[in-house]
Amino acid sequence: MRIITGKYKGRHFDIPRTFKARPTTDFAKENIFNVLVQYVDFEGAQALDLFSGTGSISLELLSRGCSQVVSVELDRDHHRFIQECVKKLMGTVPSVSSEADYRGTVPKVIPIRGDVFRFLKSCKQQYDFIFADPPYALKELPQIPDLIFEKQLLKPDGIFVFEHGKDYDFSQHPHFVEHRSYGSVNFSLFR
């Protein structure tokens, strides 16, 4: 896993072979971020990375200048890996377990170990950028865009990027903007 651009451009992190996570490929990540520069200025943005997996997107957002990246991952080993990567880049990482623990803090990356759906129900913050990469087989996957907008988690000019399998079509969603596909990786963008 590598960081594509920004302050930490070119930094590599070896993902343990035992991980179940399916990280967004470098090719897909680079291409979707090339599209996103027309939608969002990452410098100083507040971002939310749901189903963080290896933390690849969180680290990319940090490198691109986000002022805060909240990274939510349920798996204990994946969460620990994200913490280790953040520590390698920044020298420190906050220890929090819920939204209530990080409110009022200023760390740039906040890895939270927890269930994304529980986090979404209790979250009170709005974000400039939200990225979600749930397991493609997750039965609740089609409900995620609705949850983001029902909870009003996106700032008025914000953008939500949803990575999903090819079997899903969100083009009829009222907040849908566009769809991008890179190999087997599909992204739907919402505003």
Side-chain angles (χ1 to χ4, degrees), residues 74-152:
L74 181 60
D75 185 277
R76 179 187 69 235
D77 294 333
H78 296 182
H79 177 259
R80 187 178 309 121
F81 179 76
I82 294 167
Q83 288 180 309
E84 289 168 6
C85 292
V86 170
K87 190 171 185 178
K88 284 178 186 175
L89 291 178
M90 302 185 69
T92 184
V93 62
S95 177
V96 296
S97 60
S98 70
E99 180 196 9
D101 291 342
Y102 79 80
R103 247 183 267 131
T105 63
V106 291
K108 285 193 161 221
V109 178
I110 302 162
I112 295 176
R113 181 173 173 239
D115 177 75
V116 165
F117 295 100
R118 186 171 282 149
F119 174 86
L120 291 175
K121 286 180 183 175
S122 66
C123 184
K124 304 286 188 245
Q125 183 173 342
Q126 287 190 316
Y127 299 90
D128 300 292
F129 179 76
I130 300 174
F131 187 92
D133 180 11
Y136 289 0
L138 184 72
K139 67 178 181 166
E140 299 91 351
L141 186 145
Q143 302 160 14
I144 294 171
D146 289 334
L147 287 171
I148 297 294
F149 289 100
E150 285 170 12
K151 294 294 292 175
Q152 300 178 358

Side-chain angles (χ1 to χ4, degrees), residues 36 39-40 42 45-50 119-120 123-132 144-162 173-177 188-191:
L36 290 172
Y39 288 103
V40 64
F42 290 105
Q46 292 181 312
L48 174 62
D49 182 13
L50 301 170
F119 174 86
L120 291 175
C123 184
K124 304 286 188 245
Q125 183 173 342
Q126 287 190 316
Y127 299 90
D128 300 292
F129 179 76
I130 300 174
F131 187 92
I144 294 171
D146 289 334
L147 287 171
I148 297 294
F149 289 100
E150 285 170 12
K151 294 294 292 175
Q152 300 178 358
L153 299 179
L154 202 57
K155 290 182 181 178
D157 290 333
I159 189 86
F160 167 45
V161 176
F162 191 40
H173 193 280
H175 294 279
F176 177 82
V177 176
S188 290
L189 283 64
F190 302 84
R191 276 216 127 124

Side-chain angles (χ1 to χ4, degrees), residues 34 144 163 179:
N34 286 340
I144 294 171
E163 184 175 335
H179 173 264

